[in-house]
Each structure stands twice: as C-alpha cells, then as structure tokens.
Amino acid sequence: GIDDPEVADSFESCVQCRGCEPACPSGVPFGAMISASRADLVEASPGTNPWWLRWGLRGLGHHSLVLAGATATAWAQRVGLVPRSRLPERLPLRRPTYPTIPTTGDPVWVLTGCVMDAVSRSAHVALIEVLTALGWMPLLPEQHEGCCGALAHHAGLETLAVRQTRRALTRFRTSDSGGLAGTFSDAPIVVDSAGCAAHLKEHGEPSSSRIVDAMELIATRSDRLGALLDESYVRPTVIIQDPCHLRHVQRVHAATRTALAPVADMVELDDDGLCCGAGGAYSMLQPEMAGELRTRKVAAIDRAGGTNVVSANPGCSLHLAGGGITVSHPVEIIAAALKCRRP
C-alpha cells in the first residue's frame, strides 16, 4: 500500500515523464495512476513535500510576488549570493515589454503563466510576434491568470492544483469589466510551455478543448512562413530536444518539426525522446537522479554535434542550463527569422 516505504519511495522517485504510456501496448494510463498515488501519499504524509516547496507553489498563484522574487534572485546572482551550482541559469534583470496587440486577425488567447513570464518572457514576446505575422490576433487577459496548477499537480498537492487551474482558466472566460474575455470567451488558449499545455488539456475542464500548444498551432500555418523571409536569410541548424509532456502526453512533438521546417535545418537526438530530468520540481526534490538524467541528455546533445538546442518547455531549458547547455524556445527561432523579412 501507499504506507509501505518502498512503495512510497517508488512514487517519489518517479520523474513523471509519462514515457511508459506510449510504450505500453495495453495503453495503461500510468500518468493518472501515478498522479493519484502521489496525491494519496501527500495526503497521508503532508511532510512528503518540504515546507519551502509547499509555500513556493502557493506563491506561484500571486504573479506580482513571482516577478519580484525572480528580480531579487537575479540581483542576488550578480552579487554572488546564489552559487551557480544552485541556479546555473542567470535570470534576467529586465523583462521585455509585450508588443502592441493587433486589432485584426483570428483571436487567440496567450497564457503567460507564472515562472515562465518571470524568467523567459522573451519566448512569450516571440510567440505574439509570430502569431501576429501569421494572421492571428493574440490576446492577453485583463487580469493575469497566475499559475496553471501544473507544478502543484506534479507535487501531489491536488487541492492547490485544482484551485490554481480553475482560477487561471476563469481569466479566459469572464471579465469583471466586460472587456475582451467576454467578447472572445470561446477563442483558443495558446500555451508555449509544453508542461502547462499538457496539464490544462488533461485537467482544464470545461476549457480543455480550447487549449492548444503553441507549436501545434503555428504548424497549421507554417506554410506561410517561407513568403515572409528575406532572400538573404541564412537558415540556422538546431538540435531538437522534445519535452516529455509534448512528446508523451500531448503527442504533438511532430508539430515542432513542421513549424521549424521553413526557417531552420534540424538535427534529431539519438536517445528516442528520453527525459532530461527536469520534471517540474523533480530536479530540486531528487537532484541526484535528475542530474544523472541530465548527464545522459547532454551526452546525446554532444553526439548530435552542436550547441544550438531548442526545447518547447522552460523547465527543460533551465535544467539543461545546469549541464552547460543553452536552450532557445522554437518560437524564438521563428521570430528571429521573421525579423529578417523584407520591409
């Protein structure tokens, strides 16, 4: 049972990459089973997650606090208070402002989330630029949606996860001031974090059907990209690292290739989509195992013969930074290509 230390340890040490699901010929829903067991474990033993993780996950629902914390951490890094062994990725001191939203095009909402908006906003900005160029009208909620609940769900804090998910999706359905959310309450919700998109597709009722991964959406109009490039554009070569929740849960990883094909040459890893070890908060809770998984992934990247890596999940990017790998979001590669287009 869940009170058996060996059983509990097996659930605590699982990275929840969900790679077992597509490999199982019987289609056993291991993800749902593991999540439920993890929640039962946390309920039976609240101390399973350390206090700092519980408080941190609750704090993710307060976006201003997340932004302030990220800025404070960035300054602490620069004065040497945060060692590179704890946080190798240097966080930005300043975040780019979001571009002006167009007034024409097919309306789509953009979910900016919590940590990603604080440390990887450049990917959101790139997404808005690409969506606009391809004929969409990207919209941001009048009130920030906060955390989507994915990290709390991974940690087994199901009550918190449900509350955060419902609150986030409400921002795309209603509006206290009767503004845009009421006007476009049925428009798709685009998510450029693979883990967040996977969570919302599975647990975001009644809005699950509106969730679409950014690469999944861009792939539907990628045939328009070629006409937007300048004749002098030089195609970069990128190594693709598939986030587990894009490959094993959403199963739309082919969309990354479709979206990038008009603007970049791609190199595949030879590890058949094995996990990099990030796993939400897994890298903090199980640093030894997470480090071993990262070492294996870095070796695959080295064998691929390059350093220009793309991954559609911020957790993977931050974790791989600890192995000396700099990672871009695929949408940033596309946005950079469009900036070379004809006036």
Side-chain angles (χ1 to χ4, degrees):
I2 200 69
D3 54 348
D4 186 316
E6 291 187 4
V7 174
D9 182 67
S10 68
F11 286 112
E12 290 182 11
S13 60
C14 177
V15 71
Q16 299 185 58
C17 70
R18 306 273 293 270
C20 50
E21 289 190 359
C24 178
S26 300
V28 176
F30 289 107
M33 295 166 59
I34 293 171
S35 295
S37 298
R38 176 75 179 175
D40 289 343
L41 176 63
V42 171
E43 183 177 0
S45 179
T48 298
N49 291 316
W51 66 268
W52 52 265
L53 178 64
R54 296 195 300 272
W55 278 100
L57 292 176
R58 287 184 174 87
L60 293 180
H62 304 278
H63 193 56
S64 59
L65 182 63
V66 175
L67 297 180
T71 300
T73 302
W75 279 111
Q77 286 180 308
R78 284 155 177 79
V79 298
L81 296 179
V82 180
R84 288 186 62 83
S85 59
R86 294 298 302 273
L87 190 62
E89 177 79 355
R90 175 167 280 201
L91 303 185
L93 285 174
R94 295 183 178 85
R95 301 174 190 89
T97 57
Y98 286 110
T100 301
I101 302 299
T103 56
T104 59
D106 299 320
V108 292
W109 292 103
V110 174
L111 183 141
T112 58
C114 50
V115 175
M116 190 170 178
D117 189 49
V119 304
S120 304
R121 185 178 291 180
S122 58
H124 293 329
V125 171
L127 174 61
I128 290 174
E129 292 173 344
V130 172
L131 292 178
T132 300
L134 293 178
W136 281 289
M137 179 173 63
L139 306 167
L140 298 174
E142 295 176 7
Q143 290 182 284
H144 192 275
E145 67 275 6
C147 182
C148 73
L151 291 173
H153 176 72
H154 271 270
L157 300 172
E158 202 56 33
T159 300
L160 176 62
V162 170
R163 184 167 67 247
Q164 290 179 336
T165 300
R166 288 177 177 172
R167 179 192 179 196
L169 292 177
T170 296
R171 304 298 192 218
F172 302 97
R173 293 198 302 268
T174 62
S175 175
D176 294 338
S177 60
L180 291 175
T183 305
F184 302 115
S185 59
D186 295 325
I189 303 171
V190 188
V191 186
D192 55 9
S193 167
C196 297
H199 173 74
L200 292 173
K201 284 182 177 181
E202 290 191 330
H203 304 281
E205 294 293 347
S207 299
S208 297
S209 61
R210 295 172 58 199
I211 306 300
V212 59
D213 190 271
M215 303 315 297
E216 183 181 15
L217 182 66
I218 293 171
T220 65
R221 295 185 182 178
S222 61
D223 57 339
R224 304 183 186 186
L225 289 172
L228 299 176
L229 303 180
D230 188 85
E231 294 177 354
S232 62
Y233 174 69
V234 178
R235 296 167 60 90
T237 298
V238 299
I239 298 172
I240 297 183
Q241 186 268 328
D242 285 323
C244 292
H245 281 73
L246 190 73
R247 186 181 184 104
H248 304 313
V249 184
Q250 297 189 67
R251 304 190 187 186
V252 296
H253 55 290
T256 302
R257 281 86 175 156
T258 302
L260 284 173
V263 301
D265 296 323
M266 292 166 280
V267 176
E268 300 286 349
L269 296 178
D270 61 9
D271 64 356
D272 197 28
L274 293 177
C275 183
C276 73
Y282 184 82
S283 59
M284 293 183 286
L285 297 173
Q286 301 285 340
E288 184 176 349
M289 179 63 75
E292 291 177 5
L293 295 174
R294 179 175 59 198
T295 297
R296 183 179 64 184
K297 178 65 68 174
V298 170
I301 292 171
D302 288 341
R303 290 194 301 272
T307 58
N308 193 9
V309 179
V310 296
S311 179
N313 193 62
C316 299
S317 300
L318 291 171
H319 185 56
L320 288 173
I325 304 296
T326 300
V327 187
S328 301
H329 195 288
V331 76
E332 293 179 285
I333 303 298
I334 300 172
L338 296 182
K339 288 177 181 177
C340 297
R341 60 183 169 177
R342 302 179 184 88

